[in-house]
């Protein structure tokens, strides 16, 4: 049981480049989300999805796009990377029936130069 | 003001000692509360839920004070392996808020 798989683990981009962070879960969770973590700021919600075909904005959505074409996958796209997007990104999922536990991916450390 | 606030620390704790720290929240509608442990920028891992009556899991004790809107975590008989950052999380009708974390360093 792989849980939440997040790739890549590390990425360096130049300003203006685009990329997609991949997130997949094999637990049939309805809810998936993306967070970024910056020093002193805690985990901040970027986008989330409560099921295939449904996405919504979190606290800090600007500069990011998401889609949810399947239950399993929830990619995060940076269309034109900016240095302010240098951060550690975590994907997380949960089962609505067992509301408490968030399952996190292992994180992506992104640097934008 | 942040919705969830934590003392960033670090709390330097001798091995075997007790350490406690709080997490304050501003949203009185918060219903559920949790403590997570995070090591060296790895993913947060759920340590324990916090129940109204307080709860204990081995050396860890969590308390909730709704009147003053904070939760606490106490670690007894600290081990070197307890060195980590401890994040709190609140849940208000599906809206999750995380604190920035409290760093604990257990020293020999």
């Amino acid at each position: 049981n792989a849980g939440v798989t997040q790739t890549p683990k590390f990425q360096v981009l130049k300003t203006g480049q685009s990329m997609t962070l991949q997130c997949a879960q094999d637990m049939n969770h309805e809810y998936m989300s993306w967070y970024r973590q910056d020093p002193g700021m805690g985990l901040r919600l970027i986008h989330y999805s409560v099921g295939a075909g449904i996405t919504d904005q979190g606290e800090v959505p600007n500069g990011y796009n998401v889609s949810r074409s399947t239950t399993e996958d929830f990619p995060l796209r940076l269309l034109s990377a900016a240095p302010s997007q240098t951060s550690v990104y975590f994907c997380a999922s949960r089962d609505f029936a067992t509301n408490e536990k968030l399952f996190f991916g292992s994180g992506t450390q992104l640097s934008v130069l | 003001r942040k919705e969830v606030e934590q003392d960033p620390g670090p709390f330097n704790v001798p091995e075997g000692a007790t350490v406690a720290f709080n997490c304050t929240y501003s949203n009185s509608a918060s219903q559920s509360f949790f403590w997570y442990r995070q090591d060296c920028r790895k993913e947060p891992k759920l340590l324990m839920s916090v129940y109204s009556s307080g709860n204990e899991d081995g050396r860890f004790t969590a308390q909730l004070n709704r009147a003053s809107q904070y939760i606490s975590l106490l670690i007894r008989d600290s081990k070197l392996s307890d060195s980590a950052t401890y994040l709190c999380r609140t849940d208000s009708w599906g809206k999750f808020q995380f604190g920035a974390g409290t760093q604990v360093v257990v020293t020999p």
Side-chain angles (χ1 to χ4, degrees):
Chain A
N1 190 344
V4 179
T5 303
Q6 194 179 328
T7 57
K9 287 192 181 300
F10 302 96
Q11 183 71 52
V12 179
L13 293 177
K14 293 181 180 178
T15 296
Q17 285 185 314
S18 62
M19 79 157 296
T20 300
L21 279 63
Q22 301 291 346
C23 177
Q25 52 89 13
D26 61 0
M27 297 172 282
N28 203 33
H29 286 171
E30 303 96 338
Y31 180 94
M32 297 185 74
S33 55
W34 278 101
Y35 289 89
R36 61 177 288 173
Q37 186 175 34
D38 302 291
M41 299 295 290
L43 288 157
R44 292 184 293 169
L45 183 65
I46 304 171
H47 284 285
Y48 67 98
S49 168
V50 297
I54 306 169
T55 64
D56 208 345
Q57 296 181 349
E59 184 183 354
V60 288
N62 292 340
Y64 307 94
N65 281 350
V66 292
S67 59
R68 185 93 181 271
S69 56
T70 67
T71 300
E72 293 78 19
D73 300 297
F74 191 45
L76 179 71
R77 297 185 187 86
L78 284 71
L79 297 179
S80 179
S84 61
Q85 294 178 305
T86 294
S87 188
V88 180
Y89 292 84
F90 290 102
C91 178
S93 72
R94 71 181 173 106
D95 178 359
F96 284 129
T98 55
N99 195 42
E100 293 189 347
K101 192 168 183 179
L102 269 178
F103 293 79
F104 282 92
S106 57
T108 297
Q109 192 166 316
L110 176 67
S111 295
V112 183
L113 306 177
Chain B
R1 184 188 170 193
K2 295 177 187 174
E3 286 202 33
V4 180
E5 300 208 51
Q6 294 184 250
D7 184 335
F11 284 63
N12 295 297
V13 186
E15 194 174 6
T18 296
V19 61
F21 42 88
N22 296 337
C23 164
T24 59
Y25 61 94
S26 60
N27 186 353
S28 58
S30 298
Q31 306 152 297
S32 305
F33 308 88
F34 309 90
W35 283 106
Y36 285 75
R37 173 196 169 115
Q38 186 175 29
D39 296 287
C40 295
R41 290 301 212 187
K42 293 187 177 178
E43 72 272 24
K45 294 184 178 177
L46 181 64
L47 180 65
M48 59 196 302
S49 304
V50 186
Y51 301 121
S52 296
S53 55
N55 49 299
E56 198 173 293
D57 184 1
R59 298 179 294 106
F60 297 83
T61 300
Q63 298 278 356
L64 167 62
N65 186 319
R66 283 197 184 273
S68 300
Q69 295 189 191
Y70 72 88
I71 61 173
S72 63
L73 182 67
L74 181 146
I75 307 174
R76 284 187 302 279
D77 187 23
S78 297
K79 311 291 185 190
L80 295 176
S81 58
D82 294 333
S83 295
T85 296
Y86 293 84
L87 309 177
C88 62
R89 178 196 129 199
T90 66
D91 181 2
S92 174
W93 300 105
K95 182 182 177 185
F96 299 163
Q97 293 285 344
F98 282 90
T102 295
Q103 186 184 6
V104 172
V105 179
V106 182
T107 55

